[in-house]
Amino acid sequence: MNIALVGFIIIVILLIIILIYLLTIKKNISNTANKNQVKMNIKLFEYDLNNIKFPKNIEQMNSDSLTKASKVIFDSYKSLDYANKVSSSLDKIEWHTWQVSIILYFLKTKGKYYISNDVRLFHDVILELNENQIEQEMQRVCKKYMENIDIYKDRDYLSNQVIWSARDVSIILYKIINS
């Protein structure tokens, strides 16, 4: 009788262990599925630069014209010396949509700038951002562009639409240089 009781207790303990193990596996599978669903939902809200449309005159620019126009904007940015200004200067709205459209389209077409390492172009606020934060900032800029820009307006209209901060332009130029 003692052997039967010991055998029964061992079987009950093994069943409890198996039940706990199965419940743990189910919980892990459920958590993984939830995490994947959250990641998928986040992806749905991302703005892909490749899907953004630009004014026709910009999209029709040849590579040389686009590079020259982007260089003029880049040179303007450098001459304003944001790297050495107070950080609040990055929040000042002083860039117009035509300029931002050009550099965003330059980035979209995989344009690159090469600069010497001895030139400090960006404010510490930008340089201290990690890769994930830079991507979040680009998402913000792309979202702002998609929600606020009428690509069917002409150059004069878009040149008068001053809604972009130095921070917005810094992020785009940073991505151009570091992509």
Side-chain angles (χ1 to χ4, degrees):
M1 180 100 156
N2 285 338
I3 295 177
L5 185 60
V6 172
F8 178 74
I9 293 173
I10 292 174
I11 291 174
V12 169
I13 292 173
L14 286 174
L15 286 174
I16 291 173
I17 291 172
I18 291 171
L19 184 62
I20 291 172
Y21 177 74
L22 290 175
L23 289 173
T24 305
I25 289 174
K26 183 178 179 182
K27 184 178 177 182
N28 287 342
I29 290 171
S30 177
N31 285 343
T32 303
N34 287 341
K35 286 177 186 176
N36 288 339
Q37 182 65 36
V38 168
K39 285 180 184 178
M40 195 167 83
N41 288 341
I42 290 170
K43 288 280 189 199
L44 292 176
F45 295 106
E46 285 185 0
Y47 291 88
D48 183 4
L49 189 58
N50 292 320
N51 295 328
I52 296 177
K53 299 291 184 201
F54 294 91
K56 185 172 68 168
N57 291 347
I58 292 175
E59 287 191 340
Q60 291 176 343
M61 285 181 163
N62 64 35
S63 179
D64 189 47
S65 297
L66 182 60
T67 300
K68 286 178 182 175
S70 298
K71 184 174 180 346
V72 168
I73 296 166
F74 186 76
D75 290 342
S76 296
Y77 177 86
K78 280 195 313 191
S79 68
L80 291 168
D81 194 27
Y82 289 110
N84 295 311
K85 292 185 177 183
V86 295
S87 61
S88 61
S89 68
L90 294 178
D91 297 325
K92 188 174 179 185
I93 305 295
E94 54 191 2
W95 291 84
H96 58 73
T97 298
W98 187 255
Q99 293 166 313
V100 169
S101 296
I102 288 171
I103 58 176
L104 273 175
Y105 190 66
F106 186 77
L107 177 60
K108 177 181 179 175
T109 59
K110 309 296 187 232
K112 287 273 283 175
Y113 283 126
Y114 298 99
I115 58 166
S116 65
N117 290 338
D118 61 331
V119 178
R120 184 169 174 242
L121 296 173
F122 301 106
H123 194 280
D124 288 339
V125 169
I126 302 299
L127 296 174
E128 291 170 357
L129 296 174
N130 64 37
E131 188 175 324
N132 188 32
Q133 291 168 321
I134 293 289
E135 286 306 314
Q136 288 173 353
E137 287 292 315
M138 268 309 296
Q139 289 297 310
R140 180 188 57 76
V141 169
C142 289
K143 180 180 182 202
K144 182 177 177 179
Y145 191 88
M146 300 259 314
E147 292 176 352
N148 293 292
I149 307 311
D150 182 353
I151 63 166
Y152 301 105
K153 296 292 184 179
D154 63 8
R155 178 183 178 159
D156 290 338
Y157 177 85
L158 296 174
S159 292
N160 288 318
Q161 190 178 28
V162 181
I163 63 170
W164 301 94
S165 69
R167 182 181 186 88
D168 298 330
V169 173
S170 296
I171 293 296
I172 299 166
L173 294 175
Y174 183 88
K175 284 291 288 182
I176 289 171
I177 291 170
N178 294 295
S179 60

